[in-house]
Amino acid sequence: MTTAVQHGEILTGVSVAPLPAGAGAAYLKHRQPASGFALVGVAAVVALDAQGNCARVRVGITGLASKAFRATAVETALAGKPAAAIATAASHAADGVDALADIHAAADFRAELARVYTRRALELAVARAKA
């Protein structure tokens, strides 16, 4: 809940490069009803090659661990594969992560949310890449 902005500084803009043709992105979260913060949030970017395989995959997950992280196990499992491999790749979303547990969600529930929302975000990103 802090930024890198120092006292006396002000953020004047944010630049994000547009996605190339054949790429899609999605962000989905399971929000905590009282605060609106994500119990788990997943950002996914997928670029498809000419055959429709996932040529480049990036997945970021927040809310599962003590800090946001790249889900490299998911990325590796999906890279170079057809979109039909999304469910298998998404099953790795919580690999090697010490999932948080608190009054809002148990660790195993958060891990399952990460897997489900990773699958959904990847599916949406692929659908957008094909559009």
Side-chain angles (χ1 to χ4, degrees):
M1 303 293 207
T2 62
T3 71
V5 177
Q6 299 296 313
H7 182 72
E9 294 180 332
I10 186 167
L11 184 65
T12 60
V14 176
S15 296
V16 178
L19 292 173
Y27 174 76
L28 299 173
K29 71 176 181 177
H30 183 87
R31 61 186 296 279
Q32 198 285 332
S35 69
F37 289 118
L39 286 177
V40 168
V42 178
V45 178
V46 178
L48 301 176
D49 64 18
Q51 292 76 38
N53 293 323
C54 300
R56 186 165 189 219
V57 181
R58 295 293 182 263
V59 177
I61 300 177
T62 187
L64 176 61
S66 59
K67 62 181 181 177
F69 65 95
R70 286 247 325 258
T72 55
V74 174
E75 296 171 357
T76 300
L78 190 56
K81 301 209 174 50
I86 286 175
T88 300
S91 71
H92 298 287
D95 287 4
V97 175
D98 186 18
L100 295 174
D102 58 26
I103 62 170
H104 303 293
D108 58 341
F109 180 67
R110 279 187 203 264
E112 183 60 16
L113 282 176
R115 289 185 282 271
V116 169
Y117 277 81
T118 297
R119 178 184 50 79
R120 291 177 183 175
L122 286 167
E123 289 170 346
L124 183 55
V126 167
R128 289 175 173 168
K130 291 179 179 179

